[in-house]
Amino acid sequence: ECFFHVFETEIHNTIIDNKLFNKGDRVAIGASGGKDSTVLAYVLKLLNDRYSYGLDLVLLSIDEGITGYRDDSLETVKRNRDQYQIPLLIISYKDLYGWSMDDIVKEIGRKNNCTFCGVFRRQALDRGAIMLNVDHIVTGHNADDIAETVLMNILRGDLPRLQRCTSIITNDTSEDSSGIETSKILRSKPFKYTYEKEIVMYAYFKKLDYFSTECIYSPNAYRGHARVFLKDLEAIRRTTIVEGLNKGLPQLGIGHTTKIRRMHEAGNLTSGLSSPASPSTPGDESGVATPSSLASEEKGKVVTHIKDLSRLENMPTLGGA
């Protein structure tokens, strides 16, 4: 129960601190049936009800056309639709482009499959969002995923992507055939500061219904090499995945400190732990309304962000647990 409480509160704090939503937003949850998107759908519905975000949630799934993988995972998404009572739209590559991923692999072989799929999926999500008339798309990308993307962009020398790949919220602008802007859809990652291992634990102990088989084309993916490398680094230094993402500051060496680092550390000292949360009030700038921690009557159950790694070891226990 303590773990559930901390996990859910950290996601709530991330949403509030980054002002991800406004009351009344129609939000599409990118749903694949895997652990990340299943936990995201469950937690977002739970927090929407608990804190009165006022969001209109829908599930948006993309059928890439991968026999023996996506067809099975979509059955999980359909069960999630019924379990969480959230509407679902499924759109396919075949309908949108005339090609399924199986068709593409037959044509080009098992090489660069994920590159094709990634481009197609991103556009498919945009088109699905337009069909659903949503304001915002949320995806289950977690801290591990973002760290992998950072490493991949470094290895590729892709500086433009390196600059934006850690953003928790981005704007996507869609244009019609004449080049006129038709919509601007926000994308965000509520799990930016959440470890993959935490998501797996949450899904397991909550007994959530999710699909765990890996895509049959992913063993050849470039991302897999970055993932293995990062897991090896994490075994040596546990803060490898999150700390740098959060601070964005270099480690210059023993005793070396920059002006920015000193300012950052001074800010940590003055800010302290998150203040207790209270129910939302009209006129709250975030639109969804609560400060970033727990209800005031739960004094003593102080929770910090996962990103506040330096404080985690001294974090107070919850209710004497």
Side-chain angles (χ1 to χ4, degrees):
E1 290 302 318
C2 293
F3 168 67
F4 296 155
H5 176 74
V6 172
F7 183 91
E8 292 157 7
T9 304
E10 285 169 355
I11 305 306
H12 170 63
N13 289 346
T14 298
I15 289 170
I16 297 302
D17 291 349
N18 293 278
K19 297 181 172 64
L20 295 191
F21 309 119
N22 293 306
K23 192 177 287 288
D25 278 354
R26 186 167 167 82
V27 178
I29 302 168
S32 67
K35 64 184 184 320
D36 298 318
S37 63
T38 299
V39 172
L40 179 61
Y42 177 88
V43 171
L44 200 53
K45 176 177 172 56
L46 181 147
L47 296 179
N48 190 38
D49 294 339
R50 179 182 295 170
Y51 295 106
S52 301
Y53 290 168
L55 305 180
D56 181 11
L57 301 176
V58 294
L59 298 174
L60 174 57
S61 290
I62 309 302
D63 181 1
E64 300 94 340
I66 303 174
T67 304
Y69 168 67
R70 183 55 73 211
D71 43 0
D72 291 339
S73 69
L74 286 175
E75 292 304 311
T76 304
V77 176
K78 291 173 184 175
R79 292 195 299 272
N80 292 160
R81 171 198 61 197
D82 299 335
Q83 291 158 356
Y84 308 149
Q85 293 295 294
I86 304 177
L88 166 67
L89 172 67
I90 300 174
I91 56 178
S92 71
Y93 285 3
K94 193 76 170 179
D95 291 339
L96 290 176
Y97 314 120
W99 289 73
S100 68
M101 275 308 298
D102 286 343
D103 295 334
I104 292 171
V105 172
K106 285 178 185 175
E107 187 71 22
I108 68 169
R110 294 203 173 199
K111 200 171 185 180
N112 298 323
N113 303 150
C114 293
T115 301
F116 279 93
C117 194
V119 172
F120 285 175
R121 188 189 304 109
R122 188 172 187 85
Q123 187 177 111
L125 281 171
D126 286 343
R127 293 196 188 185
I130 291 170
M131 292 178 194
L132 289 168
N133 193 31
V134 303
D135 307 291
H136 201 121
I137 301 172
V138 292
T139 59
H141 292 96
N142 57 51
D144 299 62
D145 296 325
I146 297 173
E148 290 164 13
T149 303
V150 168
L151 181 58
M152 289 167 64
N153 287 332
I154 290 172
L155 296 175
R156 289 169 173 161
D158 193 337
L159 295 182
R161 277 208 183 100
L162 186 60
Q163 186 175 11
R164 65 177 182 266
C165 70
T166 60
S167 298
I168 192 168
I169 187 165
T170 56
N171 287 318
D172 268 10
T173 302
S174 301
E175 296 180 349
D176 62 18
S177 57
S178 62
I180 298 174
E181 181 181 316
T182 55
S183 68
K184 186 168 287 187
I185 300 169
L186 297 175
R187 287 173 177 261
S188 66
K189 310 177 189 79
F191 286 168
K192 177 183 175 180
Y193 297 110
T194 309
Y195 284 104
E196 183 178 42
K197 65 181 70 172
E198 294 178 305
I199 294 170
V200 173
M201 285 175 61
Y202 189 87
Y204 177 79
F205 287 112
K206 279 285 187 179
K207 297 180 171 55
L208 300 185
D209 183 1
Y210 68 95
F211 185 77
S212 57
T213 302
E214 190 175 19
C215 174
I216 60 174
Y217 300 134
S218 66
N220 300 309
Y222 188 58
R223 179 177 289 272
H225 301 292
R227 179 175 297 131
V228 170
F229 178 63
L230 281 169
K231 292 304 177 190
D232 290 342
L233 286 179
E234 189 183 16
I236 299 168
R237 185 169 182 265
R238 68 183 179 85
T239 58
T240 293
I241 289 176
V242 175
E243 187 173 50
L245 280 180
N246 183 43
K247 292 183 178 178
L249 298 171
Q251 178 62 50
L252 300 179
I254 297 174
H256 290 190
T257 310
T258 64
K259 180 179 178 182
I260 294 177
R261 184 177 292 279
R262 287 196 298 270
M263 291 170 61
H264 176 82
E265 291 171 351
N268 279 346
L269 289 174
T270 56
S271 63
L273 291 173
S274 301
S275 58
S278 57
S280 59
T281 54
D284 188 358
E285 288 183 3
S286 69
V288 295
T290 75
S292 56
S293 218
L294 301 174
S296 57
E297 60 268 20
E298 293 192 286
K299 189 175 181 181
K301 294 186 177 182
V302 181
V303 178
T304 102
H305 258 58
I306 191 68
K307 61 185 180 182
D308 296 325
L309 290 170
S310 61
R311 301 184 183 128
L312 283 182
E313 293 182 1
N314 298 317
M315 183 173 144
T317 58
L318 300 177

